[in-house]
Amino acid sequence: MSYVARIDRPADKAARYSEVEAEILAVVEGEGNRVARMATVASMLSDAFEDYFWTGFYVVDPDRGRELVVGPYQGTLGCLRIAFGRGVCGAAAETGRTQVVEDVHAFPGHIACDGRSESEIVVPVFDSSGALIAVFDVDATRKGAFDAVDAEALERLLARVFS
């Protein structure tokens, strides 16, 4: 399937997620390579949401155990490695729970890979056996950009793409 960037997306956030989810699932259908799937998700979500300033994956490094290494992403330079429990990404990896941070400057231990980041959502990504394989990280340049709608939509999408 070919994909063309769109400017006519629904204004309603839930409807926009639903639309782009269907498009992502159509594009990755039959693609077994995890990196290709991650790159597609990061690219298409980054294109679909104006608030997505940095969009991408930090992958569990199998050689280092409790450490994430930068994976496919869209945006400015990302941190190369993040330990479990450190920053928002590390908190999501440590707890296995989505982190919605309204103001990153108020998050204890926040890692400022780019000083323009104001809010963040990080969703743990699990494979079909339930093992953590990555976290999906999105930063925005305005406070309060993410909420329960983002969390639910991203959790659903990532489960469908990687489980």
Side-chain angles (χ1 to χ4, degrees):
M1 172 182 184
S2 65
Y3 175 76
V4 177
R6 304 228 343 251
I7 58 170
D8 63 338
R9 297 251 180 228
D12 176 74
K13 191 189 300 189
R16 185 175 291 217
Y17 272 114
S18 180
E19 183 179 88
V20 76
E21 177 181 319
E23 293 170 359
I24 289 169
L25 293 173
V27 171
V28 302
E29 183 178 357
E31 177 54 63
N33 183 278
R34 191 180 284 167
V35 172
R37 293 169 87 79
M38 287 179 180
T40 300
V41 168
S43 174
M44 291 179 73
L45 284 173
S46 178
D47 176 64
F49 291 91
E50 299 83 30
D51 279 339
Y52 279 33
F53 165 67
W54 194 97
T55 309
F57 292 87
Y58 283 96
V59 180
V60 175
D61 186 337
D63 298 328
R64 296 211 184 168
R66 297 175 41 81
E67 189 171 80
L68 303 166
V69 62
V70 70
Y73 72 92
Q74 300 284 309
T76 59
L77 182 64
C79 299
L80 295 182
R81 294 187 172 273
I82 300 172
F84 278 37
R86 187 165 177 255
V88 183
C89 290
E94 182 76 28
T95 65
R97 293 193 310 266
T98 297
Q99 307 290 308
V100 178
V101 181
E102 187 172 307
D103 178 359
V104 296
H105 306 293
F107 189 90
H110 174 255
I111 303 167
C113 297
D114 188 312
R116 294 174 288 176
S117 180
E118 295 290 333
S119 61
E120 187 171 3
I121 184 169
V122 181
V123 181
V125 181
F126 303 97
D127 68 12
S128 59
S129 72
L132 181 73
I133 58 170
V135 297
F136 181 68
D137 179 21
V138 183
D139 289 28
T141 57
R142 71 175 177 87
K143 287 181 173 51
F146 307 108
D147 57 24
V149 172
D150 298 281
E152 291 168 15
L154 290 172
E155 288 169 356
R156 180 183 64 243
L157 170 65
L158 295 166
R160 293 186 73 188
V161 171
F162 296 102
S163 297

